[in-house]
Amino acid sequence: MKLVTVLALALSSSLALAQTSPKKSSTRLPAKPAAAAPVPAATTATPANTSVATEESGTMKILKEKLQIRYFAEFLGPNVKKWDDNQVDVDGYGGDGKGKFARSTDPINMFNQFSFRWLVAPKTRALVETRFTTQFGDRSGISEGSDKQVIVQEDHRIGLNYAYFASADKVWSANFLPRVRVPTSEASQDANIVLQPDFLHILSFQATPALNFSFWSAVRYYWFEQKVDSERYRIYNSPSMTYVFNDTFELFVSYEHELQHRAAEGARKYTYMKESLQDVYAGVNMNLTPSLTIMPFIRFAQLQRWGWSDQRETMQLGAWIMGNIF
């Protein structure tokens, strides 16, 4: 699904958008805990009892140092011109159409991701991400054989986030995220997919205290069961810009482009690829609290035709929700 592709990398990513903000970098490490005060020597032979409160305090201290729990959601609504309960599609990806509006079989829905991150090294966090989609619109148009439930389980993901570079002046930074999607979705199981390894690289440039530029680049490979005669992978690139107006409002703009190779094994050159995604996101981050950000946006679903009528048919409304749970 186009939705999963965008978000899985997006944000990841989910991960994702909060890293472009100069105030809320998800790679920022917790402060080093202060050294414990020396314990005075015991004056009696009776061993000291450890209270429950002390044990809880020690556990919470470790959790605050090591654990992060983050939430990301993408709500995708209808197009600007016609308000119905289906999403926007475009007949042009892959060069087979003219970039005109096509009614998607996907209803209005929300993709959800909970990301559990554990600090395993000073600059590295292990990731476990649970992911599912909530369907809001009419599900009768979903094709036969697809998951038509209200809550659809997506492919969960595990991986690492390695913040391998940061300049001394904090202007440049770079993260590398090797990850693997496990086939927990009905779509992946029906397609006989074993695993989907993907590798994401994020380069960030803090031009001014208010202006940030980032570049996301990812490769995603589909590993099929031996009985499936298919070669498939995707190459994704997305430059983005974030401008901070104040503590509450930020402007965000990103361009997404994706190429896909998908053919019978050996039927075409391995480097043969078609364009599978091209769009622009434009929205405003609203930092409602230090732990909750909502970004309503307009998505330009196609960039092939720039007539006003074509744009109105393919512009899509949506919103991102980003929360720091722990």
Side-chain angles (χ1 to χ4, degrees), residues 114-156:
F114 289 91
S115 180
F116 301 86
R117 310 170 183 179
W118 188 264
L119 189 67
V120 295
K123 297 181 179 180
T124 306
R125 288 188 182 272
L127 310 174
V128 177
E129 295 173 337
T130 59
R131 312 159 85 226
F132 62 94
T133 296
T134 307
Q135 311 275 21
F136 298 124
D138 182 9
R139 291 171 283 133
S140 61
I142 299 176
S143 60
E144 292 297 326
S146 299
D147 196 333
K148 295 186 178 184
Q149 298 182 80
V150 175
I151 299 177
V152 178
Q153 181 174 225
E154 304 291 355
D155 290 331
H156 302 318

Side-chain angles (χ1 to χ4, degrees), residues 267-278:
R268 294 177 174 176
K269 292 182 179 180
Y270 194 72
T271 54
Y272 174 83
M273 289 181 288
K274 287 185 175 183
E275 184 180 84
S276 53
L277 176 67
Q278 184 179 193

Side-chain angles (χ1 to χ4, degrees), residues 93-111:
Y93 296 129
D96 299 326
K98 298 181 179 180
K100 291 186 177 182
F101 167 80
R103 189 173 186 267
S104 173
T105 59
D106 293 328
I108 293 171
N109 61 30
M110 179 180 286
F111 169 82

Side-chain angles (χ1 to χ4, degrees), residues 18-47:
Q19 296 187 39
T20 66
S21 170
K23 304 192 302 301
K24 300 189 287 298
S25 173
S26 62
T27 60
R28 185 177 299 164
L29 301 180
K32 184 177 180 180
V39 178
T43 57
T44 68
T46 303

